Amino acid sequence: MKFFKKTNNTNESDRKQSTKVFAYRSYRSSSRRDTNLGRRHQKDSADENSRVEAFPRRNWLLVVTVVIIAGCLVSLLLLGGEPGVRLVQVEGGIERTEAASYQTEINKIWSGSLNNLTKITADTTSVEQEILTTFPELASVQIEMPVIGRRPLITLHTEPSVAILTNMTGAYYVSQDGKILARVGGDYSYTGTSKIVAVTDNSGLHPEAGEYVLNHNQMRALRMYEQGLEDNSIAVESIVLPTEINQLDIYLKKESYYIKFNFLEDVRQSIGAFIAAQDTIQNQQKPSQYIDVRVPEKVFYK
């Protein structure tokens, strides 16, 4: 009996089949991995391209937004057109007969400087000072910048006139501070209803509009002298500024003499001294020229 070694063909065949299957699976797995890698690569490339395309779009949006905001800010800061002008009258003030002249001159002043093109650089102080110099009849000038608009508003306040001073060159309105406001008549008119003092200037000075003939204290004393005499039923005919410094001459109605007052002395005491002297000399010969009460506690007359 012969014995033969049994070959395991089945196992060999199975191994070969297994090897083929493994190789096939490995190939498929590798292909799938390659395919997945390719897909991921394509997706990454698409995302990158999308980011590259989206980045400029975001930049453009930001640039446009910044430009719009900057344009709005510039528009808010710019000034344009003629400034608005508003005139505020006070009791006893004077005004130009042609109100449009204020607008015309102020337009020239405002447009005379490039600084007045924006709200930030506008030199309001210089403009206000130049307007006051151009129009001496004004007491103050106020410039308001608009928050949204482009036209500033300029408000003019008139100066009250308390006296009319007459000299060799003409008659002038005078403020309570002694400043010459304007010439009487012509381009100006008095809008007040209160009494205005008439003063004759014989000092020989010829002040122009904007200049001072008296200071504030002298103007105050002048008005107090007139009012004090009127309160004591002494009618004043005229008030004169002579060539002598700090002297005030007041002429009376129905009297042949005038009174010499001193701007530097107390008004009430000086008026009291005159009334006492008037009572004393009432039964004597009246003065033909003046009664002088410039020196305290002394009275001279002639």
Side-chain angles (χ1 to χ4, degrees), residues 94-160:
I94 62 173
E95 66 177 5
R96 295 190 171 221
T97 53
E98 295 184 6
S101 60
Y102 287 112
Q103 182 73 61
T104 302
E105 294 298 324
I106 289 175
N107 289 344
K108 295 178 182 178
I109 295 172
W110 185 261
S111 61
S113 175
L114 295 177
N115 292 332
N116 298 329
L117 293 177
T118 70
K119 300 174 185 178
I120 296 178
T121 60
D123 190 357
T124 56
T125 302
S126 297
V127 172
E128 290 173 358
Q129 187 58 47
E130 191 170 353
I131 292 175
L132 289 174
T133 302
T134 305
F135 304 106
E137 71 271 17
L138 299 179
S140 63
V141 177
Q142 182 181 2
I143 300 178
E144 300 177 22
M145 291 297 173
V147 177
I148 299 178
R150 300 180 64 182
R151 294 182 61 198
L153 176 62
I154 300 179
T155 303
L156 312 177
H157 298 268
T158 59
E159 179 88 23

Side-chain angles (χ1 to χ4, degrees), residues 89-97 158-164 172-175 181-197 223:
Q89 275 287 2
V90 298
E91 169 60 29
I94 62 173
E95 66 177 5
R96 295 190 171 221
T97 53
T158 59
E159 179 88 23
S161 176
V162 298
I164 293 180
Y172 301 88
Y173 294 108
V174 182
S175 73
L181 300 178
R183 183 183 289 269
V184 175
D187 297 333
Y188 295 89
S189 60
Y190 179 69
T191 61
T193 57
S194 57
K195 180 182 178 182
I196 191 167
V197 181
R223 298 170 66 190

